[in-house]
Amino acid sequence: MTGPAGPSRLLPVDDDLDTGPFFAAARRGELALQHCTACGLLLHVPKAYCHRCGSWETDWRVVPGRGSLLTWTVVTHQVHPAHPVPYTVVLVAVDGCGAHLVGSLPGRPELATGQPMEVWFEHLDHGVVLPNWRPVAPHE
Amino acid sequence: MDGIVRCSHDTVYAHDLAHAIGVPQLTFWSDVGPGGVAPAAMVGQAVAAILSGQAETVVVFRELNGRSGRRYGLADAAGDRVGGAGTYDEFFLPYGLLTPGQVFAMLARRHMAEFGTEPEHLGHIALTCRERANANPAAQMHERTMTMDDYLGSRPIAEPLRLFDFCLETDGACAVVVTSTERARDLRRPPALIRAVAQASIPDPQPGMMYPILMRDSLTELPAAAVARTLWSRAGLGPGDVDVAQLYDCFTITVLLQLEDWGFCAKGEGGPFAASGNLGPGGSLPINTAGGHLSEGYVHGMNHVLEGVRQIRGTSTSQVPGAETCLVATTPLPPGSGLLLRSDG
């Protein structure tokens, strides 16, 4: 959400023909990724055609909102006013489906490769909802 | 001269250059991209044109105003909405992942986690390039020496990468002339013979320019491994035959990954290999002998081609004695290309 003093966050195009369903699912509070209906291959990033089996039949499947941390960077040199430093960009391997998804955290949190992560849904301006990732709280 | 090859990211078109230097008639031109993976492939296009009779002599050039024009370190985002239309930027930019340096920082962190690579390992690559630049009067960093303490003390940009892990911003231009061996032997300067060229996409290519590289199962292997297989096969030579190498160095980690993927050391051992003195004069693999992108200047890999020619001619400011074989590796990501130059001996 827009802070009182800061510029608006960068918003994704969330109605693209190929990728829009990812953001539509997020508006419903779901993490969904495209799969080939015929052979079951994960199609991420999303596309209309399965490069493995040649099918044009695809569907969007809800996947676990859990994953593990693959890598991250702490950004300390600011390149865009919508993203004040420091902040941390994370790359998460989603459990059970082989997808890698990006998330971001404010500041410089303590992180470790392989640690469990969970999805949350960040409500931005203009009704845009962004699936984002954070560490699973230690007490869980 | 009757042919021109340009980089698809260049702002000068083939007819612009033909006009500027007074070429009466072009019979061949070609656009090769993208960006930093193009240079060796651009030379390859010139070779193909000459061997197929479409041109006799081809100029291969790259110019960019990386400081006064488009600055490559700035955010990719323009406007309020990002992504769509097959860019896939919507999966990356809204999270603040906005520059190549941030992507390579994530690859570096992963390499550190998998293999124990340390900042000092990357520092040795930065220092190697700086020392070669200190010997090269044409390098941007010619008069600026650097110690490991300077490197480690430089400000973080995208951790674990710091300022001196990043290449320079440069206004510059480079060109090479490619022609038949027969004709080249008649010219005043000794030729650098093109032993082999190769292009390769990353296996199982991703769409999009750069960020989807993070979707790959392996975050520590670049397309260089595929380019290397093709180039070594075509050349009938291997890593052990290389006397000196010019390795694409948009960042120090890019060099480290290429040392492994080109087969100069095993996967995971790039750090210790770089830290053991292999990359300097007298080492097993002197690299980036003009200073590279890290310390000579950033002309998107074409300055690496020029320095490869200098090494074969014996005119480098950090000449490797008796150098007969030079690798030019323009293999950052997502695809890549490579060039093997040999002396006419």
Side-chain angles (χ1 to χ4, degrees):
Chain A
M1 293 180 206
T2 307
S8 168
R9 279 276 300 275
L10 273 175
L11 298 177
V13 170
D14 64 352
D15 60 353
D16 182 84
L17 187 64
D18 287 326
T19 67
F22 177 80
F23 298 98
R27 288 194 292 274
R28 298 191 301 268
E30 294 176 341
L31 182 67
L33 295 173
Q34 189 180 33
H35 290 73
C36 172
T37 306
C39 78
L41 183 68
L42 169 74
L43 300 175
H44 189 75
V45 291
K47 56 212 153 197
Y49 175 78
C50 176
H51 57 273
R52 182 164 77 183
C53 79
S55 172
W56 291 91
E57 299 297 321
T58 65
D59 55 77
W60 288 78
R61 301 179 189 174
V62 175
V63 299
R66 294 281 187 131
S68 60
L69 183 62
L70 286 168
T71 185
W72 73 95
T73 179
V74 181
V75 179
T76 53
H77 175 80
Q78 188 161 329
V79 294
H80 197 286
H83 291 274
V85 295
Y87 63 93
T88 300
V89 180
V90 296
L91 185 68
V92 174
V94 183
D95 285 350
C97 71
H100 296 179
L101 294 177
V102 173
S104 64
L105 297 159
R108 182 195 292 276
E110 278 292 315
L111 297 171
T113 306
Q115 79 176 73
M117 305 288 285
E118 65 181 5
V119 79
W120 65 285
F121 296 95
E122 187 174 10
H123 289 254
L124 303 174
D125 289 345
H126 304 293
V128 173
V129 181
L130 197 63
N132 206 340
W133 294 86
R134 64 191 173 200
V136 174
H139 63 270
E140 288 187 43
Chain B
M1 192 270 280
D2 51 8
I4 290 177
V5 179
R6 69 185 279 275
C7 174
S8 63
H9 286 183
D10 215 285
T11 56
V12 172
Y13 286 89
H15 53 264
D16 296 329
L17 181 61
H19 168 76
I21 61 178
V23 178
Q25 183 75 61
L26 283 178
T27 65
F28 175 83
W29 65 92
S30 175
D31 289 8
V32 181
V37 309
M42 291 164 70
V43 174
Q45 281 281 297
V47 170
I50 292 160
L51 293 180
S52 62
Q54 296 182 78
E56 281 188 18
T57 301
V58 180
V59 168
V60 179
F61 80 99
R62 178 75 173 111
E63 62 77 34
L64 76 172
N65 290 328
R67 177 70 194 184
S68 63
R70 185 193 162 203
R71 298 178 67 183
Y72 275 64
L74 294 184
D76 283 342
D80 295 334
R81 291 269 182 165
V82 291
T87 64
Y88 299 106
D89 284 348
E90 60 270 50
F91 292 105
F92 307 98
L93 273 57
Y95 301 94
L97 186 60
L98 296 162
T99 68
Q102 295 163 2
V103 171
F104 275 95
M106 295 176 89
L107 303 184
R109 174 91 63 191
R110 184 69 196 183
H111 201 278
M112 290 172 170
E114 286 189 28
F115 304 115
T117 302
E118 297 177 3
E120 287 83 354
H121 293 145
L122 299 176
H124 280 283
I125 293 168
L127 261 59
T128 296
C129 290
R130 182 59 63 91
E131 288 163 5
R132 300 296 84 69
N134 293 152
N136 174 11
Q140 274 174 264
M141 291 298 183
H142 173 58
E143 294 180 333
R144 303 263 298 269
T145 57
M146 183 166 69
T147 66
M148 184 61 85
D149 283 346
D150 294 334
Y151 167 81
L152 292 171
S154 68
R155 67 186 173 93
I157 302 289
E159 296 176 11
L161 300 186
R162 37 176 63 78
L163 181 65
F164 293 141
D165 291 307
F166 280 63
C167 60
L168 303 172
E169 293 184 306
T170 303
D171 291 352
C174 295
V176 292
V177 175
V178 184
T179 193
S180 66
T181 304
E182 183 183 26
R183 189 163 178 205
R185 282 178 175 145
D186 277 344
L187 299 174
R188 284 195 300 274
R189 307 283 296 278
L193 301 187
I194 298 166
R195 173 71 171 233
V197 289
Q199 294 172 245
S201 71
I202 199 161
D204 302 319
Q206 263 75 48
M209 255 312 283
M210 171 183 59
Y211 301 105
I213 200 88
L214 296 171
M215 305 294 98
R216 300 183 62 74
D217 288 343
S218 170
L219 298 173
T220 53
E221 181 170 289
L222 292 181
V227 182
R229 280 191 294 273
T230 306
L231 190 75
W232 299 140
S233 165
R234 287 179 182 166
L237 297 169
D241 298 308
V242 172
D243 298 318
V244 53
Q246 316 301 332
L247 303 179
Y248 195 88
D249 53 342
C250 46
F251 308 99
T252 52
I253 181 65
T254 323
V255 172
L256 191 150
L257 295 173
Q258 288 172 106
L259 290 171
E260 299 170 355
D261 290 339
W262 277 96
F264 295 110
C265 61
K267 179 51 69 181
E269 293 178 6
F273 183 84
S276 301
N278 286 297
L279 308 183
S284 67
L285 184 73
I287 67 159
N288 299 7
T289 43
H293 287 159
L294 292 167
S295 280
E296 183 194 28
Y298 179 84
V299 195
H300 234 163
M302 192 55 75
N303 47 328
H304 293 60
V305 178
L306 264 61
E307 177 62 10
V309 172
R310 287 190 206 104
Q311 281 290 345
I312 296 301
R313 284 179 169 167
T315 60
S316 170
T317 50
S318 292
Q319 183 61 40
V320 173
E324 294 183 344
T325 304
C326 180
L327 171 69
V328 181
T330 45
T331 37
L333 54 81
S337 61
L339 168 67
L340 204 59
L341 297 171
R342 293 268 279 176
S343 59
D344 192 15

